[in-house]
Amino acid sequence: MKKILSIFLILLTFSGVMLGQEFYFNTKYGFGLSGTHGLLSYTLGFPYSEIGFKIPIDANGILSVNTQGGYDFQFSTYSFKLTPILQFYGFSIGVPLELSTKYVESQQATETGRMNVGINFSAKYDTIMINIFASYSMFYLYYDPAFNVNVPTVYTENIFRSILDFKISYVQSSYSLGIGYSLSVRWLPYRSTFITGQDGGYIEGRFSVKF
């Protein structure tokens, strides 16, 4: 499946059907090419690539639904995402529902996936765009070697369930440059406080390209 998805993405990118491509790099999330053609969108990059469809719900384009399927080459993880999006006057609010999973064979109970729910907010004023993303892991999939199945579970072990990401970008017609900060968050009930992990800043650039 990994090879099939990789070949399909490469053929799709260089088929000449795609228009409005752009090159992006992010010091935390990788690099690649992305673009849209009608309702179809794609990202071909490392470590993450995906194909998606944007389905308008109303004639004015205020409400739409994005469906995306992708693969993370670094963690060998598949992801499937459904995102209702509300757009108005330079603001955008999305509520992504995501299932990420991977194929695992193990002799002990092992996490194989997560179900995440999040909120993605963006606001653009003149040449400045602000993006805020938050995500929470609702439940997990665990491989049960006794029955050779993945079992959904809440799993209450002390792990980082939440992700926060903040980004501000300077946007022009042919490029954008941004800086951001991402961190994981965990609640400690015995201390009634939050702790963070995997904290780190990043730089992002996006540039229009033509082939």
Side-chain angles (χ1 to χ4, degrees), residues 54-117:
K54 183 176 182 179
I55 304 171
I57 303 300
D58 68 298
N60 297 320
I62 297 176
L63 184 63
S64 60
V65 175
N66 279 10
T67 60
Q68 297 160 305
Y71 186 79
D72 191 309
F73 293 89
Q74 183 176 2
F75 298 104
S76 301
T77 302
Y78 301 93
S79 67
F80 307 92
K81 189 185 302 181
L82 178 69
T83 309
I85 300 176
L86 180 65
Q87 295 177 299
F88 55 95
Y89 300 109
F91 294 89
S92 175
I93 300 175
V95 183
L97 302 173
E98 179 185 26
L99 175 64
S100 63
T101 184
K102 59 184 176 181
Y103 178 74
V104 172
E105 285 188 355
S106 175
Q107 300 303 314
Q108 59 185 4
T110 305
E111 180 185 332
T112 60
R114 297 189 179 191
M115 176 65 187
N116 304 312
V117 60

Short mmCIF file of all heavy atoms in Angstrom, two decimals, residues 54-117:
data_model
loop_
_atom_site.label_atom_id
_atom_site.label_comp_id
_atom_site.label_asym_id
_atom_site.label_seq_id
_atom_site.Cartn_x
_atom_site.Cartn_y
_atom_site.Cartn_z
N LYS A 54 -12.16 19.05 -1.82
CA LYS A 54 -12.91 20.10 -1.14
C LYS A 54 -14.30 20.16 -1.75
O LYS A 54 -14.46 20.46 -2.93
CB LYS A 54 -12.21 21.45 -1.27
CG LYS A 54 -12.90 22.56 -0.50
CD LYS A 54 -12.12 23.86 -0.59
CE LYS A 54 -12.80 24.96 0.22
NZ LYS A 54 -12.03 26.23 0.17
N ILE A 55 -15.30 19.85 -0.94
CA ILE A 55 -16.67 19.76 -1.42
C ILE A 55 -17.47 20.95 -0.89
O ILE A 55 -17.68 21.07 0.32
CB ILE A 55 -17.32 18.45 -0.94
CG1 ILE A 55 -16.48 17.25 -1.39
CG2 ILE A 55 -18.74 18.32 -1.47
CD1 ILE A 55 -16.91 15.94 -0.78
N PRO A 56 -17.90 21.88 -1.78
CA PRO A 56 -18.68 23.04 -1.31
C PRO A 56 -20.09 22.62 -0.90
O PRO A 56 -20.72 21.79 -1.55
CB PRO A 56 -18.71 23.95 -2.54
CG PRO A 56 -18.51 23.03 -3.71
CD PRO A 56 -17.63 21.92 -3.22
N ILE A 57 -20.57 23.21 0.19
CA ILE A 57 -21.91 22.91 0.69
C ILE A 57 -22.92 23.96 0.23
O ILE A 57 -24.07 23.65 -0.05
CB ILE A 57 -21.91 22.81 2.23
CG1 ILE A 57 -20.90 21.74 2.69
CG2 ILE A 57 -23.30 22.47 2.76
CD1 ILE A 57 -21.18 20.36 2.16
N ASP A 58 -22.47 25.21 0.11
CA ASP A 58 -23.37 26.28 -0.35
C ASP A 58 -22.77 26.95 -1.57
O ASP A 58 -21.57 26.82 -1.86
CB ASP A 58 -23.60 27.29 0.77
CG ASP A 58 -22.35 28.07 1.08
OD1 ASP A 58 -21.35 27.43 1.50
OD2 ASP A 58 -22.33 29.28 0.90
N ALA A 59 -23.58 27.70 -2.30
CA ALA A 59 -23.16 28.31 -3.56
C ALA A 59 -22.12 29.40 -3.36
O ALA A 59 -21.34 29.70 -4.27
CB ALA A 59 -24.38 28.87 -4.29
N ASN A 60 -22.08 30.03 -2.20
CA ASN A 60 -21.16 31.14 -1.95
C ASN A 60 -19.79 30.68 -1.44
O ASN A 60 -18.90 31.50 -1.25
CB ASN A 60 -21.77 32.11 -0.93
CG ASN A 60 -23.04 32.74 -1.45
OD1 ASN A 60 -23.13 33.11 -2.62
ND2 ASN A 60 -24.05 32.88 -0.57
N GLY A 61 -19.62 29.40 -1.20
CA GLY A 61 -18.34 28.89 -0.72
C GLY A 61 -18.05 29.19 0.73
O GLY A 61 -16.90 29.09 1.17
N ILE A 62 -19.06 29.58 1.49
CA ILE A 62 -18.85 29.87 2.91
C ILE A 62 -18.65 28.59 3.71
O ILE A 62 -17.79 28.52 4.59
CB ILE A 62 -20.05 30.67 3.47
CG1 ILE A 62 -20.14 32.03 2.77
CG2 ILE A 62 -19.92 30.86 4.98
CD1 ILE A 62 -21.34 32.85 3.19
N LEU A 63 -19.41 27.56 3.38
CA LEU A 63 -19.31 26.29 4.09
C LEU A 63 -18.87 25.20 3.12
O LEU A 63 -19.41 25.07 2.03
CB LEU A 63 -20.67 25.92 4.72
CG LEU A 63 -20.72 24.66 5.58
CD1 LEU A 63 -19.80 24.81 6.79
CD2 LEU A 63 -22.15 24.37 6.01
N SER A 64 -17.88 24.42 3.54
CA SER A 64 -17.38 23.33 2.71
C SER A 64 -16.89 22.20 3.60
O SER A 64 -16.76 22.35 4.83
CB SER A 64 -16.24 23.80 1.80
OG SER A 64 -15.16 24.29 2.58
N VAL A 65 -16.62 21.05 2.99
CA VAL A 65 -16.09 19.89 3.70
C VAL A 65 -14.87 19.38 2.94
O VAL A 65 -14.93 19.15 1.73
CB VAL A 65 -17.14 18.78 3.82
CG1 VAL A 65 -16.52 17.53 4.47
CG2 VAL A 65 -18.33 19.25 4.65
N ASN A 66 -13.76 19.23 3.65
CA ASN A 66 -12.54 18.66 3.07
C ASN A 66 -12.40 17.20 3.49
O ASN A 66 -12.57 16.87 4.68
CB ASN A 66 -11.32 19.44 3.54
CG ASN A 66 -11.11 20.72 2.74
OD1 ASN A 66 -11.99 21.12 1.98
ND2 ASN A 66 -9.98 21.36 2.92
N THR A 67 -12.08 16.34 2.54
CA THR A 67 -11.73 14.96 2.84
C THR A 67 -10.31 14.73 2.36
O THR A 67 -9.95 15.11 1.24
CB THR A 67 -12.68 13.97 2.15
OG1 THR A 67 -12.61 14.16 0.73
CG2 THR A 67 -14.12 14.19 2.61
N GLN A 68 -9.47 14.11 3.20
CA GLN A 68 -8.06 13.92 2.86
C GLN A 68 -7.59 12.55 3.31
O GLN A 68 -8.00 12.04 4.36
CB GLN A 68 -7.20 15.00 3.55
CG GLN A 68 -7.51 16.41 3.08
CD GLN A 68 -7.03 17.46 4.06
OE1 GLN A 68 -7.37 17.44 5.23
NE2 GLN A 68 -6.26 18.41 3.57
N GLY A 69 -6.73 11.97 2.50
CA GLY A 69 -6.06 10.72 2.84
C GLY A 69 -4.58 10.86 2.57
O GLY A 69 -4.19 11.37 1.51
N GLY A 70 -3.74 10.43 3.52
CA GLY A 70 -2.31 10.64 3.34
C GLY A 70 -1.47 9.59 4.01
O GLY A 70 -1.98 8.65 4.64
N TYR A 71 -0.17 9.75 3.84
CA TYR A 71 0.79 8.79 4.40
C TYR A 71 2.01 9.53 4.92
O TYR A 71 2.54 10.43 4.24
CB TYR A 71 1.22 7.79 3.33
CG TYR A 71 2.10 6.67 3.86
CD1 TYR A 71 1.53 5.59 4.54
CD2 TYR A 71 3.47 6.72 3.71
CE1 TYR A 71 2.33 4.57 5.04
CE2 TYR A 71 4.28 5.70 4.21
CZ TYR A 71 3.70 4.64 4.87
OH TYR A 71 4.49 3.63 5.38
N ASP A 72 2.44 9.16 6.14
CA ASP A 72 3.64 9.72 6.75
C ASP A 72 4.77 8.72 6.60
O ASP A 72 4.74 7.64 7.20
CB ASP A 72 3.38 10.02 8.24
CG ASP A 72 4.50 10.84 8.87
OD1 ASP A 72 5.67 10.44 8.71
OD2 ASP A 72 4.20 11.85 9.53
N PHE A 73 5.77 9.05 5.78
CA PHE A 73 6.86 8.13 5.50
C PHE A 73 7.79 7.97 6.69
O PHE A 73 8.46 6.95 6.82
CB PHE A 73 7.66 8.62 4.28
CG PHE A 73 6.87 8.58 3.00
CD1 PHE A 73 6.11 9.67 2.60
CD2 PHE A 73 6.89 7.45 2.20
CE1 PHE A 73 5.38 9.63 1.41
CE2 PHE A 73 6.17 7.40 1.02
CZ PHE A 73 5.41 8.49 0.62
N GLN A 74 7.85 8.95 7.56
CA GLN A 74 8.74 8.88 8.72
C GLN A 74 8.24 7.89 9.75
O GLN A 74 9.02 7.12 10.33
CB GLN A 74 8.90 10.26 9.35
CG GLN A 74 9.87 10.30 10.52
CD GLN A 74 10.08 11.71 11.06
OE1 GLN A 74 9.47 12.66 10.58
NE2 GLN A 74 10.94 11.84 12.03
N PHE A 75 6.91 7.87 9.98
CA PHE A 75 6.33 7.01 11.01
C PHE A 75 5.52 5.85 10.43
O PHE A 75 4.89 5.11 11.17
CB PHE A 75 5.44 7.82 11.95
CG PHE A 75 6.18 8.89 12.70
CD1 PHE A 75 6.07 10.23 12.34
CD2 PHE A 75 7.01 8.57 13.77
CE1 PHE A 75 6.76 11.21 13.03
CE2 PHE A 75 7.70 9.54 14.46
CZ PHE A 75 7.58 10.87 14.09
N SER A 76 5.53 5.70 9.09
CA SER A 76 4.79 4.63 8.41
C SER A 76 3.33 4.61 8.84
O SER A 76 2.76 3.57 9.16
CB SER A 76 5.44 3.26 8.69
OG SER A 76 6.78 3.23 8.26
N THR A 77 2.70 5.80 8.83
CA THR A 77 1.35 5.96 9.34
C THR A 77 0.42 6.50 8.26
O THR A 77 0.75 7.46 7.56
CB THR A 77 1.35 6.95 10.53
OG1 THR A 77 2.22 6.46 11.55
CG2 THR A 77 -0.05 7.08 11.12
N TYR A 78 -0.76 5.85 8.13
CA TYR A 78 -1.80 6.33 7.24
C TYR A 78 -2.72 7.27 8.02
O TYR A 78 -2.96 7.07 9.21
CB TYR A 78 -2.63 5.17 6.69
CG TYR A 78 -1.84 4.15 5.91
CD1 TYR A 78 -1.32 3.02 6.54
CD2 TYR A 78 -1.60 4.33 4.56
CE1 TYR A 78 -0.59 2.08 5.82
CE2 TYR A 78 -0.87 3.40 3.83
CZ TYR A 78 -0.37 2.28 4.47
OH TYR A 78 0.36 1.37 3.76
N SER A 79 -3.27 8.26 7.33
CA SER A 79 -4.22 9.16 7.99
C SER A 79 -5.41 9.41 7.08
O SER A 79 -5.28 9.50 5.86
CB SER A 79 -3.54 10.49 8.36
OG SER A 79 -3.19 11.21 7.20
N PHE A 80 -6.57 9.54 7.71
CA PHE A 80 -7.82 9.84 7.01
C PHE A 80 -8.50 10.97 7.77
O PHE A 80 -8.72 10.86 8.97
CB PHE A 80 -8.71 8.61 6.94
CG PHE A 80 -8.02 7.40 6.37
CD1 PHE A 80 -7.37 6.50 7.20
CD2 PHE A 80 -8.00 7.18 5.00
CE1 PHE A 80 -6.71 5.40 6.68
CE2 PHE A 80 -7.36 6.08 4.47
CZ PHE A 80 -6.70 5.19 5.31
N LYS A 81 -8.84 12.05 7.06
CA LYS A 81 -9.31 13.25 7.74
C LYS A 81 -10.57 13.80 7.07
O LYS A 81 -10.66 13.85 5.85
CB LYS A 81 -8.21 14.31 7.74
CG LYS A 81 -8.49 15.54 8.59
CD LYS A 81 -7.39 16.57 8.44
CE LYS A 81 -6.04 16.03 8.81
NZ LYS A 81 -4.99 17.08 8.67
N LEU A 82 -11.51 14.22 7.90
CA LEU A 82 -12.74 14.89 7.44
C LEU A 82 -12.84 16.22 8.18
O LEU A 82 -12.84 16.25 9.41
CB LEU A 82 -13.96 14.01 7.74
CG LEU A 82 -15.32 14.59 7.34
CD1 LEU A 82 -15.44 14.66 5.82
CD2 LEU A 82 -16.45 13.74 7.93
N THR A 83 -12.96 17.34 7.42
CA THR A 83 -12.90 18.66 8.03
C THR A 83 -14.00 19.57 7.51
O THR A 83 -13.91 20.06 6.37
CB THR A 83 -11.54 19.33 7.77
OG1 THR A 83 -10.48 18.45 8.12
CG2 THR A 83 -11.41 20.62 8.57
N PRO A 84 -15.05 19.82 8.28
CA PRO A 84 -15.99 20.89 7.93
C PRO A 84 -15.30 22.24 8.11
O PRO A 84 -14.60 22.47 9.11
CB PRO A 84 -17.13 20.71 8.94
CG PRO A 84 -16.93 19.35 9.53
CD PRO A 84 -15.47 19.08 9.47
N ILE A 85 -15.48 23.16 7.14
CA ILE A 85 -14.81 24.45 7.17
C ILE A 85 -15.82 25.58 6.94
O ILE A 85 -16.63 25.51 6.02
CB ILE A 85 -13.70 24.53 6.10
CG1 ILE A 85 -12.65 23.45 6.34
CG2 ILE A 85 -13.05 25.91 6.11
CD1 ILE A 85 -11.58 23.40 5.27
N LEU A 86 -15.74 26.60 7.78
CA LEU A 86 -16.56 27.80 7.66
C LEU A 86 -15.64 28.97 7.34
O LEU A 86 -14.70 29.25 8.09
CB LEU A 86 -17.32 28.06 8.96
CG LEU A 86 -18.24 29.29 8.99
CD1 LEU A 86 -19.39 29.13 8.00
CD2 LEU A 86 -18.77 29.51 10.41
N GLN A 87 -15.88 29.68 6.21
CA GLN A 87 -15.06 30.79 5.77
C GLN A 87 -15.91 32.04 5.59
O GLN A 87 -16.97 31.97 4.96
CB GLN A 87 -14.36 30.46 4.46
CG GLN A 87 -13.35 29.32 4.56
CD GLN A 87 -12.73 28.99 3.22
OE1 GLN A 87 -13.43 28.61 2.28
NE2 GLN A 87 -11.42 29.12 3.12
N PHE A 88 -15.43 33.18 6.14
CA PHE A 88 -16.17 34.43 5.99
C PHE A 88 -15.25 35.61 6.31
O PHE A 88 -14.51 35.58 7.29
CB PHE A 88 -17.39 34.46 6.91
CG PHE A 88 -17.08 34.21 8.37
CD1 PHE A 88 -16.88 35.27 9.24
CD2 PHE A 88 -16.95 32.92 8.86
CE1 PHE A 88 -16.58 35.05 10.57
CE2 PHE A 88 -16.66 32.69 10.19
CZ PHE A 88 -16.47 33.75 11.06
N TYR A 89 -15.24 36.62 5.43
CA TYR A 89 -14.53 37.88 5.66
C TYR A 89 -13.09 37.71 6.13
O TYR A 89 -12.64 38.35 7.08
CB TYR A 89 -15.29 38.74 6.67
CG TYR A 89 -16.69 39.09 6.24
CD1 TYR A 89 -17.78 38.52 6.88
CD2 TYR A 89 -16.92 39.97 5.17
CE1 TYR A 89 -19.08 38.83 6.49
CE2 TYR A 89 -18.20 40.27 4.77
CZ TYR A 89 -19.28 39.70 5.43
OH TYR A 89 -20.56 40.01 5.03
N GLY A 90 -12.35 36.83 5.49
CA GLY A 90 -10.95 36.63 5.83
C GLY A 90 -10.70 35.70 7.00
O GLY A 90 -9.55 35.48 7.37
N PHE A 91 -11.77 35.17 7.59
CA PHE A 91 -11.63 34.22 8.69
C PHE A 91 -11.96 32.81 8.19
O PHE A 91 -12.78 32.62 7.30
CB PHE A 91 -12.57 34.57 9.85
CG PHE A 91 -12.24 35.86 10.53
CD1 PHE A 91 -12.78 37.06 10.09
CD2 PHE A 91 -11.38 35.89 11.62
CE1 PHE A 91 -12.49 38.25 10.72
CE2 PHE A 91 -11.07 37.08 12.26
CZ PHE A 91 -11.62 38.26 11.81
N SER A 92 -11.35 31.83 8.79
CA SER A 92 -11.62 30.44 8.47
C SER A 92 -11.56 29.61 9.74
O SER A 92 -10.61 29.74 10.53
CB SER A 92 -10.61 29.90 7.45
OG SER A 92 -10.80 28.52 7.21
N ILE A 93 -12.58 28.77 9.95
CA ILE A 93 -12.62 27.88 11.10
C ILE A 93 -12.91 26.46 10.61
O ILE A 93 -13.92 26.22 9.96
CB ILE A 93 -13.69 28.31 12.12
CG1 ILE A 93 -13.41 29.72 12.63
CG2 ILE A 93 -13.74 27.33 13.30
CD1 ILE A 93 -14.49 30.25 13.55
N GLY A 94 -12.02 25.55 10.90
CA GLY A 94 -12.18 24.15 10.52
C GLY A 94 -12.17 23.26 11.75
O GLY A 94 -11.50 23.57 12.75
N VAL A 95 -12.91 22.15 11.68
CA VAL A 95 -12.96 21.18 12.79
C VAL A 95 -12.55 19.82 12.23
O VAL A 95 -13.40 19.02 11.81
CB VAL A 95 -14.36 21.11 13.42
CG1 VAL A 95 -14.35 20.16 14.62
CG2 VAL A 95 -14.83 22.49 13.85
N PRO A 96 -11.24 19.54 12.18
CA PRO A 96 -10.79 18.27 11.60
C PRO A 96 -11.04 17.07 12.52
O PRO A 96 -10.77 17.14 13.72
CB PRO A 96 -9.29 18.50 11.40
CG PRO A 96 -8.92 19.54 12.40
CD PRO A 96 -10.12 20.42 12.54
N LEU A 97 -11.56 16.00 11.93
CA LEU A 97 -11.68 14.70 12.59
C LEU A 97 -10.74 13.76 11.87
O LEU A 97 -10.90 13.50 10.67
CB LEU A 97 -13.13 14.19 12.53
CG LEU A 97 -14.19 15.09 13.15
CD1 LEU A 97 -15.58 14.53 12.86
CD2 LEU A 97 -13.97 15.22 14.66
N GLU A 98 -9.76 13.23 12.58
CA GLU A 98 -8.70 12.47 11.93
C GLU A 98 -8.50 11.11 12.59
O GLU A 98 -8.50 10.99 13.82
CB GLU A 98 -7.38 13.24 11.98
CG GLU A 98 -6.22 12.51 11.34
CD GLU A 98 -4.90 13.23 11.51
OE1 GLU A 98 -4.77 13.99 12.49
OE2 GLU A 98 -4.01 13.04 10.67
N LEU A 99 -8.32 10.10 11.75
CA LEU A 99 -7.92 8.77 12.21
C LEU A 99 -6.57 8.45 11.60
O LEU A 99 -6.43 8.43 10.37
CB LEU A 99 -8.94 7.72 11.79
CG LEU A 99 -8.55 6.26 12.11
CD1 LEU A 99 -8.45 6.05 13.63
CD2 LEU A 99 -9.54 5.29 11.49
N SER A 100 -5.57 8.24 12.43
CA SER A 100 -4.25 7.83 11.95
C SER A 100 -3.99 6.41 12.44
O SER A 100 -4.30 6.06 13.58
CB SER A 100 -3.16 8.78 12.48
OG SER A 100 -3.09 8.74 13.89
N THR A 101 -3.42 5.59 11.56
CA THR A 101 -3.22 4.19 11.91
C THR A 101 -2.03 3.63 11.14
O THR A 101 -1.62 4.20 10.11
CB THR A 101 -4.47 3.35 11.62
OG1 THR A 101 -4.27 2.01 12.05
CG2 THR A 101 -4.79 3.36 10.13
N LYS A 102 -1.47 2.53 11.63
CA LYS A 102 -0.38 1.86 10.94
C LYS A 102 -0.48 0.36 11.17
O LYS A 102 -1.13 -0.10 12.13
CB LYS A 102 0.98 2.37 11.44
CG LYS A 102 1.23 2.18 12.92
CD LYS A 102 2.56 2.80 13.32
CE LYS A 102 2.79 2.70 14.84
NZ LYS A 102 4.06 3.33 15.23
N TYR A 103 0.13 -0.39 10.28
CA TYR A 103 0.09 -1.85 10.39
C TYR A 103 1.18 -2.31 11.35
O TYR A 103 2.35 -1.95 11.20
CB TYR A 103 0.30 -2.49 9.02
CG TYR A 103 0.32 -3.99 9.07
CD1 TYR A 103 -0.86 -4.71 9.26
CD2 TYR A 103 1.51 -4.68 8.95
CE1 TYR A 103 -0.84 -6.10 9.32
CE2 TYR A 103 1.54 -6.06 9.00
CZ TYR A 103 0.36 -6.76 9.18
OH TYR A 103 0.39 -8.13 9.25
N VAL A 104 0.78 -3.07 12.37
CA VAL A 104 1.72 -3.52 13.40
C VAL A 104 1.44 -4.99 13.72
O VAL A 104 0.28 -5.39 13.87
CB VAL A 104 1.59 -2.68 14.69
CG1 VAL A 104 2.41 -3.28 15.81
CG2 VAL A 104 2.05 -1.25 14.43
N GLU A 105 2.50 -5.78 13.82
CA GLU A 105 2.41 -7.13 14.38
C GLU A 105 3.33 -7.17 15.60
O GLU A 105 4.51 -6.87 15.49
CB GLU A 105 2.82 -8.18 13.36
CG GLU A 105 1.78 -8.43 12.29
CD GLU A 105 2.14 -9.61 11.41
OE1 GLU A 105 3.25 -10.16 11.59
OE2 GLU A 105 1.32 -9.99 10.55
N SER A 106 2.77 -7.53 16.75
CA SER A 106 3.53 -7.49 17.98
C SER A 106 3.08 -8.60 18.91
O SER A 106 1.95 -9.10 18.80
CB SER A 106 3.35 -6.12 18.67
OG SER A 106 3.97 -6.10 19.93
N GLN A 107 3.94 -9.00 19.80
CA GLN A 107 3.62 -10.01 20.79
C GLN A 107 3.02 -9.43 22.06
O GLN A 107 2.71 -10.16 22.99
CB GLN A 107 4.89 -10.81 21.15
CG GLN A 107 5.52 -11.53 19.97
CD GLN A 107 4.55 -12.48 19.29
OE1 GLN A 107 3.86 -13.26 19.95
NE2 GLN A 107 4.51 -12.43 17.96
N GLN A 108 2.85 -8.12 22.09
CA GLN A 108 2.24 -7.47 23.24
C GLN A 108 1.33 -6.34 22.75
O GLN A 108 1.39 -5.94 21.59
CB GLN A 108 3.31 -6.90 24.17
CG GLN A 108 4.23 -5.89 23.52
CD GLN A 108 5.34 -5.44 24.44
OE1 GLN A 108 5.47 -5.92 25.55
NE2 GLN A 108 6.14 -4.50 23.98
N ALA A 109 0.46 -5.86 23.65
CA ALA A 109 -0.46 -4.78 23.29
C ALA A 109 0.34 -3.56 22.84
O ALA A 109 1.22 -3.08 23.56
CB ALA A 109 -1.35 -4.44 24.46
N THR A 110 0.04 -3.06 21.65
CA THR A 110 0.81 -1.97 21.06
C THR A 110 -0.13 -0.95 20.42
O THR A 110 -1.10 -1.33 19.75
CB THR A 110 1.76 -2.51 19.97
OG1 THR A 110 2.59 -3.53 20.54
CG2 THR A 110 2.64 -1.40 19.42
N GLU A 111 0.15 0.33 20.61
CA GLU A 111 -0.67 1.36 19.98
C GLU A 111 -0.48 1.34 18.47
O GLU A 111 0.65 1.34 17.96
CB GLU A 111 -0.29 2.74 20.51
CG GLU A 111 -1.11 3.87 19.90
CD GLU A 111 -0.66 5.25 20.34
OE1 GLU A 111 -0.11 5.37 21.45
OE2 GLU A 111 -0.84 6.19 19.55
N THR A 112 -1.58 1.32 17.72
CA THR A 112 -1.53 1.30 16.26
C THR A 112 -2.22 2.50 15.62
O THR A 112 -2.19 2.64 14.41
CB THR A 112 -2.18 0.02 15.72
OG1 THR A 112 -3.55 -0.03 16.15
CG2 THR A 112 -1.45 -1.21 16.23
N GLY A 113 -2.85 3.35 16.41
CA GLY A 113 -3.52 4.49 15.82
C GLY A 113 -4.19 5.38 16.84
O GLY A 113 -4.29 5.01 18.02
N ARG A 114 -4.66 6.53 16.37
CA ARG A 114 -5.35 7.48 17.23
C ARG A 114 -6.49 8.15 16.47
O ARG A 114 -6.43 8.34 15.26
CB ARG A 114 -4.40 8.58 17.73
CG ARG A 114 -3.26 8.08 18.60
CD ARG A 114 -2.50 9.24 19.22
NE ARG A 114 -1.42 8.77 20.07
CZ ARG A 114 -0.73 9.54 20.90
NH1 ARG A 114 -1.02 10.84 20.98
NH2 ARG A 114 0.23 9.04 21.65
N MET A 115 -7.52 8.50 17.22
CA MET A 115 -8.61 9.30 16.69
C MET A 115 -8.48 10.69 17.29
O MET A 115 -8.53 10.84 18.53
CB MET A 115 -9.97 8.69 17.05
CG MET A 115 -11.16 9.53 16.61
SD MET A 115 -11.28 9.66 14.82
CE MET A 115 -12.59 10.86 14.64
N ASN A 116 -8.29 11.70 16.45
CA ASN A 116 -8.06 13.06 16.92
C ASN A 116 -9.19 13.98 16.48
O ASN A 116 -9.73 13.84 15.37
CB ASN A 116 -6.74 13.61 16.36
CG ASN A 116 -5.56 12.74 16.69
OD1 ASN A 116 -5.37 12.34 17.84
ND2 ASN A 116 -4.76 12.42 15.68
N VAL A 117 -9.54 14.91 17.33
CA VAL A 117 -10.47 15.98 16.97
C VAL A 117 -9.77 17.31 17.25
O VAL A 117 -9.02 17.44 18.23
CB VAL A 117 -11.79 15.88 17.78
CG1 VAL A 117 -11.54 15.99 19.28
CG2 VAL A 117 -12.78 16.96 17.33
#
